[in-house]
Amino acid sequence: QVQLVEFGGGSVQSGGSLRLSCRASGYTLRNSLMGWFRQAPGKERETVARINLDGTATYADSVKGRFTISQDNAKNTLYLQMNSLKPEDTAIYYCAADRQEWWPSPRNWGQGTQVTVSS
């Protein structure tokens, strides 16, 4: 059974940094796509970042240059380094994983972690 567990959310002031982690169990990151989504109150869920099979990363325009996604296959863990945080980054952040053919609607999700950025 696939389990994705996120860590690292919290509250930070504008301009601060946080690093999110997502540990996968019962699942291997190899040959799968993993990524981060977020959902703010009253808004639709959006893709924040994704690691592609060739190792490159895709980012939402709103986070380019500020967020960095990375993956440690040995630890089966996905990371999201978030710098220069803005109040509009406030949301619940979710990691997700699945084979490429299931994206952009992966089937496996973590429980989410809250990120709150105050001005």
Side-chain angles (χ1 to χ4, degrees):
Q1 183 177 353
V2 177
Q3 187 175 20
L4 302 173
V5 181
E6 297 101 338
F7 301 92
S11 297
V12 65
Q13 289 191 329
S14 181
S17 298
L18 284 173
R19 188 173 86 151
L20 305 182
S21 303
C22 174
R23 188 174 303 146
S25 60
Y27 193 82
T28 177
L29 302 188
R30 296 185 187 277
N31 301 317
S32 294
L33 298 183
M34 289 197 75
W36 292 94
F37 293 75
R38 68 185 180 187
Q39 187 164 21
K43 294 187 177 181
E44 292 188 355
R45 186 182 66 197
E46 63 171 339
T47 305
V48 175
R50 188 186 80 183
I51 290 186
N52 303 309
L53 289 178
D54 61 2
T56 60
T58 302
Y59 296 93
D61 288 341
S62 58
V63 307
K64 281 181 182 177
R66 300 188 298 121
F67 291 11
T68 303
I69 189 172
S70 60
Q71 180 174 304
D72 186 333
N73 289 336
K75 296 181 179 180
N76 244 22
T77 301
L78 180 74
Y79 302 97
L80 184 68
Q81 178 65 45
M82 305 185 294
N83 298 327
S84 301
L85 283 161
K86 304 175 181 180
E88 51 263 44
D89 295 318
T90 295
I92 299 175
Y93 285 70
Y94 301 89
C95 71
D98 213 329
R99 297 194 305 270
Q100 185 172 8
E101 60 264 32
W102 286 96
W103 285 76
S105 299
R107 296 170 295 172
N108 305 299
W109 293 84
Q111 82 286 355
T113 185
Q114 177 71 47
V115 171
T116 303
V117 184
S118 58
S119 58

